[in-house]
């Protein structure tokens, strides 16, 4: 519950910031350079507003829109959007935003009407022949597209990464300290043979859908999908904070247990997974022109992948390097067992590895 609230608060301040800035910018472009007192006709009634009042009303509109957008986005993230096709999802959002925007402007009109004792008709359908509102709705629609684009780009590259890419930070390779988790489906070959290609693909889709419902709550970024494997990543400080890079594993496990009946009904099998986690310094660079993306290079990724490969050998679900384990916050929730110093495949030096389990 706390994770959901934290995610909602983060989404809320982002939408509030966007819409307050968007509506203030609209007011600036529309009224900049005009007299300090503006006479605005609203359904035949005239209100004389100062520039400060006009900006105030548009900022208030931005705040209301920000709240509504945050609630709608949060509801979609939690309940339906990940399983809806992009087209229906956008259509349903657009209809919701359109109705919400009319409601917001109706509230603002009522507020102005009461404040200035104006006789304004706010009955149902009042907006149909209101050209002022039409221009506002068009602007909000365009701003919504910009907001959606920014959200999609942020989800694609990770929070904070998209802005850095716009500024060209990763045109030259940069050194960063990050944590990587290689999360892989157990017994994938046997499952694929049992289910067949089509059913197995649907199985993997559902598996990754459920993973996506978890990662944002633990500040994780999905670096890439490789077959039936997902690679998660964190900036080092965010990954060790509250043991996010470990908690996400057990949260995902708990979520799959809750959906056990669904998987048994649809596929006759419940997915189980294993993961290896490691962190350290590596290089990150922007690669490609078509299908541009960030690529991480360094020993951290190779070591994380090799640690995950040791899960089968030691019959463990989650393995973590000693260096990362020592830096984790809130470790009292787990029991961990040393597997000793292990020479990983392709490595020249041994590394201490621990198996981690959740305490009852």
């Amino acid at each position: 519950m706390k994770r959901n609230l934290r995610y909602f608060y983060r989404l809320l301040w982002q939408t509030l910031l966007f819409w307050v800035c968007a509506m203030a910018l609209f007011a600036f472009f529309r009224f900049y350079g005009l007299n300090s007192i503006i006479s605005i006709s609203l359904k035949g009634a005239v209100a004389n507003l100062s520039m400060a009042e006009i900006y105030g009303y548009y900022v208030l509109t931005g705040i209301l829109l920000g709240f509504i957008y945050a609630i709608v986005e949060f509801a979609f993230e939690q309940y339906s959007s990940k399983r809806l096709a992009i087209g229906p999802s956008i259509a349903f959002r657009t209809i919701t935003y359109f109705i919400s925007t009319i409601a917001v402007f109706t509230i603002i009109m009522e507020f102005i009407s009461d404040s200035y004792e104006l006789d304004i008709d706010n009955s149902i359908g009042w907006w149909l022949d209101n050209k002022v509102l039409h221009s506002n709705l068009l602007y909000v629609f365009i701003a919504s597209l910009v907001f959606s684009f920014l959200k999609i780009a942020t989800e694609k590259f990770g929070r904070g990464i998209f802005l850095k890419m716009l500024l060209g930070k990763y045109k030259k390779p940069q050194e960063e300290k990050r944590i990587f988790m290689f999360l892989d489906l157990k017994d994938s070959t046997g499952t694929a043979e049992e289910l067949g290609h089509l059913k197995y693909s649907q199985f993997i889709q559902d598996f990754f859908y459920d993973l996506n419902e978890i990662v944002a709550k633990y500040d994780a970024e999905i670096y890439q999908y490789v077959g039936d494997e997902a690679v998660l990543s964190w900036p080092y400080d965010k990954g060790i904070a509250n043991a996010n890079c470990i908690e996400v594993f057990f949260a995902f496990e708990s979520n799959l247990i809750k959906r056990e009946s669904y998987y048994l009904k649809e596929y006759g099998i419940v997915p189980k997974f294993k993961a290896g986690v490691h962190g350290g310094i590596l290089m990150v660079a922007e690669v490609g022109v078509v299908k541009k993306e960030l690529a991480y290079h360094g020993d951290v990724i190779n070591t994380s992948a090799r640690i995950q490969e040791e899960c089968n050998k030691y019959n463990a679900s989650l393995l973590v390097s000693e260096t990362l384990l020592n830096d984790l916050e809130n470790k009292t929730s787990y029991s961990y067992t040393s597997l000793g110093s292990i020479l990983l495949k392709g490595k020249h030096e041994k590394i201490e590895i621990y198996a981690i389990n959740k305490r009852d």
Side-chain angles (χ1 to χ4, degrees):
M1 184 62 179
K2 289 181 180 179
R3 297 278 182 175
N4 285 340
L5 285 175
R6 190 175 71 174
Y7 175 68
F8 174 72
Y9 291 148
R10 183 170 63 233
L11 181 64
L12 178 61
W13 79 256
Q14 290 172 346
T15 55
L16 284 174
L17 178 63
F18 176 86
W19 283 106
V20 166
C21 291
M23 298 312 295
L25 190 64
F26 179 77
F28 175 80
F29 283 127
R30 183 169 184 184
F31 298 106
Y32 180 74
L34 298 181
N35 297 328
S36 57
I37 301 296
I38 306 296
S39 296
I40 298 179
S41 178
L42 302 171
K43 298 292 289 184
V46 178
N48 296 313
L49 306 177
S50 67
M51 290 300 295
E53 288 174 317
I54 289 174
Y55 276 108
Y57 287 128
Y58 273 99
V59 168
L60 177 60
T61 301
I63 291 173
L64 293 175
L65 287 175
F67 269 104
I68 291 173
Y69 270 59
I71 292 170
V72 172
E73 289 292 331
F74 182 75
F76 266 80
E77 290 287 335
Q78 294 297 306
Y79 303 112
S80 62
S81 65
K82 292 181 177 64
R83 288 180 168 79
L84 280 178
I86 293 177
S89 177
I90 292 176
F92 191 80
R93 275 184 167 96
T94 301
I95 294 172
T96 304
Y97 294 147
F98 180 76
I99 295 172
S100 300
T101 302
I102 292 174
V104 167
F105 279 106
T106 299
I107 292 171
I108 297 298
M109 292 276 282
E110 284 286 357
F111 188 78
I112 295 175
S113 177
D114 292 341
S115 299
Y116 295 91
E117 298 181 351
L118 303 176
D119 184 18
I120 299 176
D121 177 19
N122 278 343
S123 59
I124 296 176
W126 67 273
W127 51 274
L128 290 174
D129 60 347
N130 191 304
K131 294 182 180 180
V132 174
L133 179 63
H134 294 169
S135 65
N136 282 267
L137 288 175
L138 178 60
Y139 177 80
V140 170
F141 174 74
I142 295 173
S144 298
L145 295 180
V146 174
F147 178 80
S148 297
F149 167 76
L150 292 175
K151 191 171 184 298
I152 291 171
T154 300
E155 290 174 349
K156 165 69 176 175
F157 297 108
R159 290 184 299 276
I161 300 296
F162 177 60
L163 179 59
K164 292 176 182 177
M165 289 188 70
L166 285 178
L167 298 175
K169 178 178 179 179
Y170 297 114
K171 284 294 184 181
K172 293 184 178 180
Q174 301 291 318
E175 191 176 73
E176 288 190 1
K177 191 174 185 181
R178 298 187 72 87
I179 295 170
F180 279 84
M181 170 185 281
F182 278 72
L183 188 147
D184 190 28
L185 192 67
K186 286 185 178 180
D187 192 27
S188 56
T189 303
T191 303
E193 291 177 352
E194 181 181 343
L195 295 179
H197 295 310
L198 176 59
K199 205 68 174 177
Y200 182 69
S201 293
Q202 294 170 337
F203 180 73
I204 293 298
Q205 275 188 317
D206 277 332
F207 181 73
F208 286 149
Y209 279 143
D210 288 330
L211 176 63
N212 273 265
E213 291 179 355
I214 298 297
V215 292
K217 301 171 187 176
Y218 295 87
D219 292 324
E221 303 163 10
I222 295 181
Y223 171 44
Q224 57 185 197
Y225 300 104
V226 184
D228 52 22
E229 181 178 69
V231 183
L232 277 58
S233 176
W234 294 260
Y236 201 86
D237 290 342
K238 288 186 177 182
I240 63 174
N242 300 311
N244 280 328
C245 63
I246 303 299
E247 277 294 310
V248 70
F249 179 91
F250 295 109
F252 184 35
E253 187 176 60
S254 177
N255 190 52
L256 289 179
I257 291 173
K258 292 177 182 177
R259 285 175 51 77
E260 181 177 354
S261 59
Y262 168 80
Y263 280 101
L264 288 175
K265 178 182 177 182
E266 293 293 323
Y267 308 105
I269 188 173
V270 179
K272 297 185 182 300
F273 57 98
K274 56 187 184 293
V277 193
H278 180 55
I281 295 174
L282 75 170
M283 302 303 295
V284 54
E286 186 178 312
V287 296
V289 176
V290 178
K291 206 176 184 299
K292 183 177 296 185
E293 62 179 30
L294 288 185
Y296 295 95
H297 308 113
D299 182 67
V300 172
I301 290 185
N302 294 330
T303 300
S304 302
R306 299 308 183 197
I307 290 175
Q308 186 265 118
E309 291 175 358
E310 296 293 312
C311 288
N312 288 339
K313 179 179 177 180
Y314 292 95
N315 193 28
S317 294
L318 177 61
L319 297 179
V320 60
S321 65
E322 181 184 41
T323 53
L324 179 60
L325 180 64
N326 290 337
D327 290 339
L328 287 179
E329 297 180 4
N330 303 335
K331 291 183 288 190
T332 56
S333 300
Y334 317 108
S335 62
Y336 33 92
T337 305
S338 174
L339 303 181
S341 294
I342 298 173
L343 184 62
L344 300 173
K345 182 180 178 181
K347 307 287 291 182
H348 298 292
E349 296 182 4
K350 292 183 177 181
I351 182 173
E352 189 84 14
I353 295 177
Y354 286 79
I356 294 186
N357 291 288
K358 192 85 168 178
R359 293 186 189 275
D360 294 331

